[in-house]
């Protein structure tokens, strides 16, 4: 399909943060995108060829000119989504992790054995995430091979970039009879079958839909399964996604069973590679950070989900300063919000709570952990570049040679709480306002690999 | 104007929580509203007169019938808004309170000396808050009498219920030369003038626009001013609003100057009455809670603002269990969100952080304060009934004899992240989803005192 498209050119204000902590704003940028969706040229006002390029672009019927108050940003990257939990978004958030899984989540996920249940829900999810500006989505499916293949089909058809895994979970001690792999062999065979299926999908080029080996988390899996999944991941050189040291219960379970933290255990099973996404990682030690850095894994920081299920704040600033790849995840439906912008605000807020502390009974000097805050710009970096680096994809910034995964944010939409005062707000203010108050209403266009998925 | 209206009847699903912790849902309720905006009858399906009332209502051209997926809720009450800070919403959130005031906020507020600056901004603010379902708004204006009168005019014209104060701040040690009352006498005279003006406004009936004595906070005011304001409040029997023990800096400032906590100091100046709203109150002691309870004050809990400026979480659950009147405030622009629903989620999240603790380096057993969480239903109660009780107004619930301040939330709107699965979601689930994911897009109608301000 992408081969049928013509080159496109966008004229407008480009806002991104290729380097953490550095905002780059290019007014009146001319961004040229090749027919296969790659950014092939960025003309800046003032350059020697700019006027000439502008004259040429204005004659191009493919030119898209942004209006005043519209901004071209990199598409948002969501590193952690449980696709089947979409109907559960924003409810059932009063239970601890173990009870939530057993009472609410496993019964819901089990319904995806029925493709007629799966189809409209997965379709709705992908549509809604695209509408929220999520250009790259990292999905856990369910144990059901057919439903997870369907999710891949839907992402490919709708054009969203996606990393998708058929969930493996065979441990009868921790998974209910009605929802688990009957044997590790079935889990491994179906994991292979899913990878083969995705890689063989017709039209699946340019890293559009990618398979991931997906052990739910250590408690759900036998050692045999974990070992087998590590082997498959290396054999196929594909992504891996799992949960890591999310909560006290889960972290202590792994300590009890394997005598080490999640990170070390996953490493021993060959599950830490430069294509691994570790969700949460709230309780990782300094030693774990070193291991994660050495393996070049990514971390899916899910600040809103953490509030309900993780018992502590993920030390995002420490991880970033340590040089880890950290992106953001909604953790649908562990987190109540479907969009990454809400999780940007969540990441700032969580980090401020960690820095300030929370208990008003303590003296000010006894509260908090100094130097824990991340800024809105750090959050935006995680939502774009951090996510892209975690997945090893050339997205997350609007730079030469990168895929054109981008959104247009419109700050002039009527029914919106995002308001800009042109005489009072700097470029940095505007990005901060977008991060804090931008919503799906403001996402006016969405492209993935140069293909327009939302807007006109 | 209200006298020109006819009686109206609404048929639909009514959702409210008159009693904390108890959700009341009435399907197919018939709510009759008198011409002066009061709820005069609620027919419930199954009652002896219901069928008869239904037949009559269906012949009534004034009948509003809600569609499937629409819910009639009480209007939302915002207990703490700095009206002049509207252009600053969602920016400048990286500074501590003192610096934020001096560098960003006072210079912005000073601009409201110019009515041509004030008019469009106040008009935009009130429009936007109505669009977000805020039926009662509690506003700090600025030191400028004329601009604050203009805010009252705008609220009256647009129909929003409002408590408004002309800010008093005369302490030269803490307020800049360019933005403070020149003398306490000027502050007191203009406070009186503002109260007289609001009470004399033509058409201002049914507690629509109410004046408040508004010492900014103790650091901004001399003792002479505080004493004079307490006297005026008693003389006029009007509302009072101020900040209370918001941050370590502010709390310690008052301890240093007056030797007691804010609460005790305000009490000594006659500023604690059953019409007082104390914003934040994060660092109040058990003794302060007793004083506040005895005086029957209200607390404006501003969970999102607290993250940036208060150094600790307000113990909402403890205050509620103590029997205090606690409502919610956006604290525009100390908080980045304009809507009360976002602050419901913020209240839940803050309370969970307090309960769980935040520091991942500590052992689980060392983290957090047990029994600190508030539920989504508590948050909704604070957003409606808690706010109403704090202000002493008969709003916040859809009960006989209450003012018809109400909103219709539509869960079927296309461009929204609020999604309901009718076969999976209970009434309680739906309210939880509304609280967590409802936004201005979903607010389909807004009434204040029976007057329709949004929708058709």
């Amino acid at each position: 399909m992408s081969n049928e498209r013509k080159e496109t050119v966008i004229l407008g204000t480009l806002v991104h943060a290729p380097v953490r902590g550095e905002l780059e704003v290019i007014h009146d940028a001319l961004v040229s995108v090749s027919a296969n969706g790659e950014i092939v040229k960025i003309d800046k006002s003032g350059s020697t060829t700019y006027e000439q390029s502008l004259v040429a672009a204005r004659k191009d019927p493919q030119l898209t000119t942004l209006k005043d108050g519209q901004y071209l940003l990199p598409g948002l990257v969501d590193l952690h989504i449980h696709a089947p939990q979409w109907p559960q978004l924003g409810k059932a958030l009063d239970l601890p992790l173990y009870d939530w899984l057993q009472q609410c989540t496993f019964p819901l996920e089990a319904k995806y054995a029925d493709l007629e249940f799966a189809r409209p829900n997965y379709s709705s999810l992908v549509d809604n995430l695209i509408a929220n500006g999520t250009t790259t989505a990292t999905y856990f499916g369910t144990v059901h091979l057919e439903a997870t293949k369907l999710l891949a089909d839907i992402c490919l058809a709708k054009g969203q970039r996606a990393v998708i895994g058929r969930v493996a979970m065979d441990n009868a001690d921790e998974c209910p009879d009605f929802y688990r792999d009957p044997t590790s062999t079935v889990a491994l065979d179906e994991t292979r079958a899913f990878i083969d299926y995705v890689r063989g999908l017709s039209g699946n080029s340019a890293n559009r839909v990618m398979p991931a080996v997906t052990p739910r988390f250590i408690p759900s899996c036998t050692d045999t399964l974990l070992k087998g999944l590590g082997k498959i991941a290396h054999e196929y050189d594909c992504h891996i996604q799992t949960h890591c040291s999310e909560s006290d219960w889960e972290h202590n379970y792994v300590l009890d069973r394997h005598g080490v933290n999640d990170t070390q255990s996953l490493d021993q099973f060959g599950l830490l590679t430069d294509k691994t996404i570790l969700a949460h990682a709230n309780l990782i030690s300094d030693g774990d950070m070193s291991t994660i850095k050495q393996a070049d894994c990514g971390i899916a920081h899910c600040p809103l989900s953490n509030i309900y299920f993780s018992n502590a704040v993920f030390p995002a600033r420490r991880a970033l300063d340590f040089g880890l790849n950290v992106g953001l995840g909604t953790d649908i439906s562990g987190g109540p919000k479907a969009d990454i912008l809400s999780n940007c605000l969540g990441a700032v807020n969580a980090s401020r709570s960690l820095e300030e502390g929370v208990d008003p009974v303590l003296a000010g000097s006894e509260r908090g952990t100094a130097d824990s805050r991340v800024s809105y710009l750090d959050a935006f970096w995680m939502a774009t570049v951090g996510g892209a680096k975690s997945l090893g994809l050339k997205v997350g910034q609007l730079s030469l040679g990168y895929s054109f995964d981008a959104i247009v944010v419109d700050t002039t939409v009527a029914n919106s709480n995002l308001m800009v005062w042109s005489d009072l707000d700097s470029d940095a203010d505007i990005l901060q306002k977008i991060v804090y108050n931008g919503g799906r209403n403001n996402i006016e266009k969405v492209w993935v690999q140069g293909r327009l998925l939302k807007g006109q």
Side-chain angles (χ1 to χ4, degrees), chain A:
Chain A
M1 177 179 295
S2 62
N3 290 332
E4 297 166 15
R5 286 203 314 272
K6 292 187 183 162
E7 184 170 318
T8 54
V9 182
I10 293 97
L11 173 63
T13 301
L14 185 164
V15 180
H16 66 169
V19 177
R20 184 186 153 214
E22 296 180 20
L23 172 64
E24 185 179 27
V25 178
I26 308 174
H27 293 278
D28 303 315
L30 262 175
V31 180
S32 300
V33 179
S34 69
N36 67 358
E38 194 179 300
I39 299 172
V40 289
K41 199 171 167 202
I42 300 174
D43 284 299
K44 302 182 190 186
S45 168
S47 79
T48 50
T49 59
Y50 181 77
E51 289 304 325
Q52 195 181 338
S53 299
L54 196 59
V55 170
R58 288 203 164 124
K59 289 180 190 155
D60 186 341
Q62 300 296 319
L63 177 69
T64 297
T65 304
L66 303 197
K67 295 175 198 151
D68 276 353
Q70 294 186 331
Y71 299 89
L72 183 68
L73 274 63
L76 304 169
V77 179
D78 190 335
L79 288 184
H80 190 51
I81 301 157
H82 289 277
Q85 296 172 24
W86 176 232
Q88 196 170 261
L89 186 81
K91 73 176 202 179
L93 292 168
D94 287 334
L95 296 171
L97 180 57
Y98 182 87
D99 300 331
W100 177 81
L101 285 171
Q102 303 291 336
Q103 293 171 31
C104 304
T105 304
F106 289 157
L108 173 59
E109 293 195 8
K111 291 181 191 285
Y112 286 74
D114 177 3
L115 289 181
E116 296 317 303
F117 183 82
R119 194 183 314 274
N121 289 338
Y122 280 163
S123 186
S124 159
L125 170 64
V126 176
D127 284 341
N128 278 280
L129 294 191
I130 290 169
N132 281 286
T134 300
T135 48
T136 299
T138 315
Y139 292 115
F140 279 54
T142 59
V143 297
H144 312 104
L145 177 60
E146 292 308 317
T148 311
K149 284 157 70 175
L150 177 63
L151 176 59
D153 295 345
I154 289 169
C155 289
L156 191 65
K158 293 186 184 291
Q160 188 180 44
R161 192 181 303 283
V163 175
I164 305 175
R166 180 261 182 217
V167 173
M169 45 192 285
D170 72 332
N171 185 1
D173 295 342
E174 296 293 332
C175 307
D177 290 343
F178 63 82
Y179 187 56
R180 74 160 179 266
D181 284 307
T183 65
S184 60
T185 306
V186 168
L188 294 169
D189 287 349
E190 294 201 354
T191 295
R192 285 174 189 278
F194 179 72
I195 298 170
D196 290 334
Y197 178 80
V198 171
R199 291 200 167 162
L201 277 172
S202 166
N204 188 12
S205 58
N207 284 327
R208 279 279 330 288
V209 180
M210 294 156 276
V213 162
T214 307
R216 185 172 201 112
F217 61 165
I218 294 169
S220 298
C221 301
T222 61
D223 288 3
T224 307
L225 177 56
L226 292 167
K227 196 171 163 188
L229 291 172
K231 213 173 135 203
I232 291 175
H234 283 266
E235 194 184 319
Y236 282 89
D237 189 25
C238 66
H239 285 94
I240 300 168
Q241 58 182 343
T242 192
H243 301 80
C244 174
S245 292
E246 178 175 4
S247 69
D248 288 322
W249 164 74
E250 188 274 334
H251 185 69
N252 290 329
Y253 171 94
V254 176
L255 271 175
D256 284 347
R257 182 169 134 195
H258 289 151
V260 292
N261 287 355
D262 290 45
T263 303
Q264 311 305 328
S265 173
L266 292 167
D267 198 24
Q268 287 164 15
F269 288 111
L271 290 164
L272 295 194
T273 75
D274 62 356
K275 290 195 171 64
T276 298
I277 301 295
L278 299 171
H280 307 300
N282 292 65
L283 301 174
I284 56 174
S285 67
D286 286 350
D288 295 337
M289 283 204 188
S290 296
T291 303
I292 290 167
K293 185 171 183 181
Q294 195 158 1
D296 199 20
C297 303
I299 291 176
H301 174 30
C302 307
L304 292 176
S305 165
N306 291 170
I307 287 170
Y308 304 98
F309 295 113
S310 293
N311 309 121
V313 167
F314 171 69
R317 167 77 167 278
R318 194 154 58 91
L320 288 169
D321 288 350
F322 202 87
L324 303 188
N325 304 317
V326 183
L328 296 180
T330 56
D331 194 18
I332 293 166
S333 69
K337 294 289 190 184
D339 64 318
I340 283 295
L341 287 178
S342 290
N343 280 277
C344 284
L345 178 55
V348 171
N349 289 354
S351 77
R352 296 292 288 256
S353 296
L354 183 59
E355 180 165 297
E356 298 288 344
V358 290
D359 186 356
V361 172
L362 296 175
S365 57
E366 302 295 312
R367 251 183 266 128
T369 304
D371 301 326
S372 293
R373 73 169 64 183
V374 297
S375 69
Y376 78 92
L377 190 51
D378 288 331
F380 177 67
W381 184 88
M382 288 191 278
T384 52
V385 179
K389 285 167 71 94
S390 295
L391 290 168
L393 299 174
K394 292 201 80 170
V395 299
Q397 55 184 285
L398 301 173
S399 301
L400 268 187
Y402 279 69
S403 293
F404 189 66
D405 287 17
I407 60 178
V408 170
V409 177
D410 190 337
T411 63
T412 68
V413 170
N415 201 16
S416 156
N417 290 334
L418 171 57
M419 312 274 295
V420 167
W421 273 254
S422 56
D423 49 339
L424 296 175
D425 292 331
S426 67
D427 288 337
D429 290 338
I430 292 169
L431 179 61
Q432 190 176 4
K433 286 183 163 192
I434 289 172
V435 166
Y436 284 171
N437 279 310
R440 65 186 280 171
N441 258 12
N442 305 104
I443 312 271
E444 209 257 335
K445 291 190 204 315
V446 176
W447 291 272
V448 172
Q449 197 70 36
R451 178 176 162 196
L452 188 66
L453 306 186
K454 182 180 181 182
Q456 294 178 328

